[in-house]
C-alpha cells in the first residue's frame, strides 16, 4: 500500500517538473486561482511573498523581471520596488497622523507646523526604508522562452518601532513642541498606523 502511494507521489512530482520545464509561457512562482464571479480577470494571481498590512506591520512585495543572467540585479531591483511601495504607504499614514494630531491639539500655526513635523518624520521614514532587508525571498519564477525570470522580494516594517523612532527624533530636535507632548504624539501615531492598511 505504501509503495503505491509513493509511486503516485513520485509520478505527480515528475509530471509537475515536466510541465514547468516544457511550458512556453512564463511560469511564475506564485499561485493562480479562479476569479470571483463578475470579475473582469480570467485568473487571479497571488505573488510569492505577498503579505497584507496588519496592525503591527507595513508590508510590500517588490517585483522585477529580466534576464536569468542578471538575477543579482533583479534582487536589488525587486527590493527597491518593495521599498518604494512601503515608503508611499508610510508617508500616507504619517500624513494622516499629522492631520489628526494638529486638529486634536488645535494648533494655530497652520501649515508651518505641519511642514516641520512632516519634514522631520520623513527623514526618519527614509532612514528606516534604507535599512530595510527582505523578510521573504528573493524568489524567482521559472525561466520563460526568452530566458527571462521574475524576482519577488517581501519586506515588513514594524509600525510601533517606526512611531517610536519618529517621536524620538522629533522630540530630540524639539520639532514643533513635540518634546512637551511626546507620549501623546507617539500614542496617536501608533493608533493611526495600526488602523492603516494600504491594500
Amino acid at each position: 500500500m505504501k509503495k503505491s502511494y509513493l509511486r503516485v507521489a513520485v509520478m505527480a512530482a515528475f509530471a509537475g517538473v515536466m510541465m514547468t520545464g516544457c511550458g512556453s509561457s512564463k511560469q511564475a512562482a506564485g499561485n493562480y486561482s479562479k476569479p470571483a464571479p463578475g470579475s473582469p480577470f480570467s485568473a487571479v494571481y497571488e505573488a510569492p511573498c505577498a503579505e497584507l498590512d496588519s496592525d503591527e506591520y507595513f508590508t510590500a512585495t517588490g517585483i522585477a523581471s529580466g534576464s536569468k543572467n542578471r538575477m543579482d540585479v533583479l534582487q536589488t531591483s525587486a527590493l527597491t520596488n518593495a521599498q518604494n511601495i512601503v515608503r508611499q504607504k508610510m508617508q500616507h499614514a504619517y500624513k494622516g497622523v499629522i492631520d489628526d494630531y494638529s486638529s486634536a491639539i488645535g494648533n494655530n500655526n497652520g501649515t508651518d507646523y505641519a511642514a516641520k513635523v512632516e519634514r522631520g518624520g520623513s527623514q526618519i521614514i527614509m532612514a528606516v526604508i534604507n535599512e530595510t532587508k527582505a523578510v521573504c525571498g528573493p524568489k524567482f519564477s521559472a525561466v520563460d522562452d526568452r530566458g527571462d525570470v521574475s524576482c519577488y522580494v517581501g519586506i515588513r516594517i514594524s509600525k510601533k518601532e517606526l512611531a517610536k523612532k519618529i517621536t524620538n527624533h522629533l522630540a530630540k530636535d524639539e520639532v514643533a513642541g513635540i518634546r512637551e507632548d511626546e507620549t501623546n504624539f507617539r500614542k496617536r501615531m501608533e493608533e493611526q498606523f495600526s488602523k492603516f492598511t494600504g491594500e
Side-chain angles (χ1 to χ4, degrees):
M1 189 74 124
K2 285 185 179 179
K3 285 183 180 179
S4 64
Y5 281 118
L6 181 60
R7 188 177 305 148
V8 170
V10 169
M11 290 176 68
F14 180 74
V17 169
M18 291 302 293
M19 288 172 61
T20 301
C22 296
S24 63
S25 62
K26 187 180 287 186
Q27 300 291 321
N31 298 315
Y32 284 95
S33 62
K34 290 185 177 182
S39 171
F41 304 105
S42 59
V44 178
Y45 178 71
E46 183 181 320
C49 297
E51 183 180 355
L52 299 177
D53 292 332
S54 67
D55 292 350
E56 293 89 23
Y57 297 104
F58 289 106
T59 64
T61 301
I63 305 170
S65 297
S67 170
K68 68 176 181 180
N69 299 318
R70 297 312 314 264
M71 291 169 83
D72 56 334
V73 174
L74 293 178
Q75 291 180 52
T76 304
S77 297
L79 177 60
T80 301
N81 177 243
Q83 289 172 329
N84 287 335
I85 292 168
V86 85
R87 176 183 48 79
Q88 290 174 2
K89 291 181 183 183
M90 290 162 59
Q91 288 180 328
H92 181 74
Y94 184 58
K95 181 74 170 78
V97 170
I98 295 168
D99 294 343
D100 175 69
Y101 187 73
S102 297
S103 63
I105 64 171
N107 188 282
N108 293 322
N109 294 333
T111 56
D112 183 47
Y113 166 82
K116 284 181 183 176
V117 176
E118 188 168 356
R119 197 166 38 248
S122 292
Q123 290 174 359
I124 297 302
I125 287 172
M126 290 309 294
V128 168
I129 290 290
N130 290 337
E131 296 170 3
T132 307
K133 293 179 175 57
V135 295
C136 175
K139 293 188 177 186
F140 292 91
S141 69
V143 181
D144 69 11
D145 55 349
R146 294 174 311 201
D148 289 344
V149 295
S150 292
C151 177
Y152 303 84
V153 172
I155 63 173
R156 183 190 299 154
I157 295 174
S158 167
K159 293 178 175 182
K160 195 165 193 169
E161 282 301 308
L162 179 64
K164 182 179 176 183
K165 287 181 180 181
I166 290 173
T167 306
N168 289 346
H169 174 73
L170 296 177
K172 180 181 73 177
D173 290 350
E174 299 186 29
V175 175
I178 295 296
R179 187 173 192 172
E180 288 77 27
D181 198 21
E182 183 178 344
T183 304
N184 184 34
F185 183 73
R186 181 169 52 239
K187 183 179 175 189
R188 285 180 173 278
M189 195 177 338
E190 288 174 3
E191 288 172 357
Q192 288 291 328
F193 282 178
S194 71
K195 292 177 192 171
F196 180 85
T197 55
E199 281 69 29

